[in-house]
């Protein structure tokens, strides 16, 4: 007993928010708990660059620390960094924003949360392409909204299509969440695909929240932001950050760019809940944006070679694999094995010690697929492919009819 509350499971139920109690843990988290208990694993599980943050960025951080740059910054972030991000968006993505249109956040994660909380009234609906990154659905729910999931399909190269979107629109629909390059599928949206989405947004007067966390990681073609489609800049909030761009996942730095009034609404929440993003990370990224592009080029070239190795290897093993063109994931189908995604992933983990993430961790429509991250060394990828091959042979799984989907 402590303060009269019994210390046993469930004792705090009556104190907890019903919304939080009704919320499942992330399927990825559950899987990582399993991985942590197993030795000798090759992990294609975690979605994180295996690179170290570039030296220029680390040096800038050390200098900032030595200069005691350890205080709060302005709520919206350092003005120099907001300006540097405006220059970055202009130079790399042909987007035109002012410093006042940009808010520095604690990773893209905070920006996702802020965007939903800034626009959602109770019951408002947000359209979300699925399979998708795990945060969107819970963040919409926590903001009091209703996530409306729109399935994307392998035969459509996992692009969000107008014909599927419009069937889910109601008078409560407020925004479309767009997430390309996509986690977990590796899909991208080309200009023509984005024009279709823009038509829907304009016809139904919707906002678009565009998570472009992997904008720098595309292979055969450059990333196009939906804010680049005529008429869309005024309806779009772009979310982006430095976790993937500069291999800075632990530094927690991202940003939102969009119409000043929307960014200002996000700032209202941010100023009360975060105060500001980490000052030393801001100072470090400022240097990255002026000196770090060479690193991005090198890293993307390397990911591209690993992508080829993994995707070709999976196809040779007999797992049909959609051609991923962005981020650092392959999303092969395991449907022909007769196993569920969870069963396949668990057996592969326990029997042959390769960690992948079951596709249903990214929503129901991910069932029948597994997510394999190729942000790991060539040697480990080769070893993982050998082990997956052994696993597939052991079960004498029928070779899939097609290698491409
Ligand atoms: C699509 C997508 N958005 C956002 C995030 C979170 O990024 P950050 O580390 O900037 O919070 C991730 C992380 O994997 C992601 O895959």
């Amino acid at each position: 007993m402590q303060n009269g509350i019994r210390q046993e499971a469930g004792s705090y139920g009556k104190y907890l928010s019903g919304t939080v109690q009704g919320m499942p843990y992330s399927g990825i988290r559950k899987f990582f708990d399993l991985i942590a208990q197993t030795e000798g694993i090759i992990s294609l599980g975690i979605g994180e660059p295996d690179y170290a943050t570039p030296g220029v960025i680390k040096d800038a951080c050390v200098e900032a620390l030595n200069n005691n740059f350890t205080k709060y910054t302005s709520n919206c972030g350092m003005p120099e960094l907001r300006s540097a991000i405006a220059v970055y968006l202009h130079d790399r993505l042909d987007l035109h924003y002012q410093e006042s249109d940009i808010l520095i956040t604690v990773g893209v994660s905070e920006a996702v949360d802020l965007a939903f909380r800034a626009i959602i009234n109770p019951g408002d609906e947000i359209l979300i392409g699925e399979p998708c990154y795990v945060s969107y659905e819970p963040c919409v729910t926590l903001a009091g909204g209703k996530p409306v999931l729109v399935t994307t399909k392998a035969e459509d190269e996992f692009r969000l299509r107008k014909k599927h979107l419009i069937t889910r629109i109601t008078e409560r629909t407020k925004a479309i969440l767009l997430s390309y390059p996509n986690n977990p599928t590796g899909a991208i949206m080309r200009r023509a695909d984005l024009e279709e989405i823009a038509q829907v947004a304009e016809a139904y007067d919707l906002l678009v929240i565009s998570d472009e966390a992997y904008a720098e990681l595309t292979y055969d073609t450059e990333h196009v932001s939906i804010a680049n489609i005529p008429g869309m800049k005024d309806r779009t909030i772009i979310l982006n950050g430095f976790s993937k761009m500069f291999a800075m996942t632990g530094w927690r730095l991202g940003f939102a760019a969009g119409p000043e009034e929307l960014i200002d609404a996000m700032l209202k929440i941010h100023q009360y809940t975060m105060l500001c993003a980490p000052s030393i990370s801001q100072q470090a990224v400022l240097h990255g944006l002026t000196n770090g592009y060479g690193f991005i080029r090198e890293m993307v070239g390397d990911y591209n070679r690993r992508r080829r190795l993994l995707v070709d290897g999976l196809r040779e093993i007999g797992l049909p694999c959609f051609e991923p063109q962005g981020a650092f994931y392959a999303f092969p189908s395991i449907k022909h094995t007769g196993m569920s995604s969870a069963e396949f992933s668990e057996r592969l983990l326990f029997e042959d010690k390769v960690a992948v993430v079951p596709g249903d961790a990214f929503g129901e429509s991910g069932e029948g697929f597994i997510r394999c991250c190729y942000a790991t060394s060539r040697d480990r990828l080769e070893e993982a492919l050998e082990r997956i091959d052994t696993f597939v042979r052991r079960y004498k799984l029928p070779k899939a009819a097609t290698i491409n989907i």
Side-chain angles (χ1 to χ4, degrees):
M1 294 277 283
Q2 189 187 61
N3 299 332
I5 298 176
R6 289 177 73 82
Q7 297 299 298
E8 58 191 37
S11 301
Y12 290 88
K14 71 172 182 176
Y15 300 102
L16 288 171
S17 134
T19 310
V20 173
Q21 286 193 80
M23 188 171 283
Y25 283 104
S26 151
I28 300 192
R29 193 195 116 134
K30 269 198 239 159
F31 211 70
F32 286 140
D33 288 346
L34 278 180
I35 295 172
Q37 295 156 18
T38 322
E39 283 187 3
I41 295 243
I42 296 191
S43 180
L44 309 185
I46 195 153
E48 175 159 59
D50 61 328
Y51 284 87
T53 305
V56 285
I57 297 181
K58 289 195 285 196
D59 291 346
C61 175
V62 171
E63 198 182 323
L65 277 171
N66 287 334
N67 289 334
N68 296 320
F69 193 78
T70 49
K71 303 226 159 70
Y72 298 130
T73 68
S74 148
N75 293 141
C76 2
M78 286 163 52
E80 308 88 307
L81 179 59
R82 294 163 77 206
S83 290
I85 289 171
V87 172
Y88 160 80
L89 289 171
H90 175 265
D91 292 356
R92 305 281 288 190
L93 299 168
D94 195 22
L95 293 167
H96 306 270
Y97 289 96
Q98 320 270 349
E99 196 185 304
S100 53
D101 305 326
I102 293 167
L103 171 67
I104 312 293
T105 58
V106 181
V108 178
S109 303
E110 192 213 353
V112 168
D113 183 39
L114 291 178
F116 289 141
R117 284 205 276 163
I119 66 166
I120 287 176
N121 284 316
D124 282 349
E125 296 176 5
I126 308 292
L127 298 169
I128 304 173
E130 197 209 58
C132 64
Y133 178 55
V134 293
S135 291
Y136 307 136
E137 208 182 324
C139 283
V140 169
T141 306
L142 283 168
K146 182 175 165 203
V148 176
L149 301 167
V150 184
T151 301
T152 61
K153 300 177 184 213
E155 53 269 31
D156 285 329
E157 300 184 331
F158 291 108
R159 290 169 297 178
L160 193 58
R161 304 301 305 276
K162 176 178 172 182
K163 62 182 179 193
H164 298 133
L165 262 186
I166 52 178
T167 62
R168 309 303 307 279
I169 291 176
T170 71
E171 70 277 4
R172 294 307 310 265
T173 309
K174 185 161 259 179
I176 302 168
L177 184 284
L178 203 61
S179 186
Y180 292 91
N182 185 266
N183 173 9
T185 62
I188 60 162
M189 295 271 278
R190 292 174 194 277
R191 184 172 288 276
D193 305 316
L194 295 170
E195 279 166 357
E196 270 195 15
I197 306 301
Q199 284 165 14
V200 177
E202 280 177 357
Y204 293 91
D205 195 17
L206 305 177
L207 292 175
V208 173
I209 297 171
S210 185
D211 180 345
E212 304 183 15
Y214 297 91
E216 288 293 341
L217 306 189
T218 60
Y219 304 105
D220 300 327
T221 175
E222 297 211 330
H223 174 70
V224 182
S225 170
I226 191 155
N228 241 317
I229 308 297
M232 286 308 293
K233 186 178 163 223
D234 295 342
R235 326 185 150 263
T236 302
I237 305 174
I238 294 176
L239 315 179
N240 199 341
F242 306 98
S243 287
K244 319 292 163 160
M245 191 189 306
F246 290 137
M248 295 183 76
T249 46
W251 297 65
R252 312 308 303 129
L253 209 71
F255 65 90
E260 195 174 339
E261 206 176 322
L262 297 178
I263 293 295
D264 210 48
M266 291 168 67
L267 168 64
K268 266 197 206 168
I269 308 168
H270 172 83
Q271 70 182 354
Y272 292 125
T273 53
M274 287 301 152
L275 252 164
C276 69
S279 57
I280 49 176
S281 301
Q282 292 190 53
Q283 190 65 261
V285 162
L286 181 58
H287 283 256
L289 286 174
T290 32
N291 302 298
Y293 291 143
F295 166 81
I296 299 176
R297 249 193 321 276
E298 214 175 283
M299 177 181 67
V300 172
D302 207 14
Y303 283 154
N304 196 13
R305 289 185 284 278
R306 300 176 193 186
R307 173 179 74 119
R308 266 295 38 94
L309 174 72
L310 182 65
V311 171
D312 293 348
L314 290 167
R315 288 174 179 165
E316 264 168 44
I317 290 166
L319 299 181
C321 195
F322 151 77
E323 177 79 14
Q325 290 174 330
F328 40 45
Y329 308 107
F331 202 57
S333 167
I334 49 104
K335 287 182 183 156
H336 64 290
T337 68
M339 294 187 220
S340 70
S341 304
E343 190 184 357
F344 186 100
S345 307
E346 276 175 35
R347 286 196 190 174
L348 180 61
L349 178 67
F350 292 128
E351 294 171 21
D352 291 281
K353 300 204 179 324
V354 178
V356 296
V357 182
D360 67 339
F362 307 96
E364 272 175 30
S365 51
E367 179 51 57
F369 297 88
I370 53 169
R371 189 191 78 174
C372 307
C373 175
Y374 52 83
T376 192
S377 72
R378 268 192 91 81
D379 290 352
R380 292 178 74 73
L381 284 175
E382 279 166 0
E383 174 64 26
L385 282 167
E386 271 177 34
R387 293 187 190 186
I388 297 173
D389 191 32
T390 309
F391 175 79
V392 168
R393 280 168 198 274
R394 181 171 323 114
Y395 285 92
K396 297 199 171 40
L397 303 173
K399 287 261 177 185
T402 53
I403 55 157
N404 260 315
I405 34 174

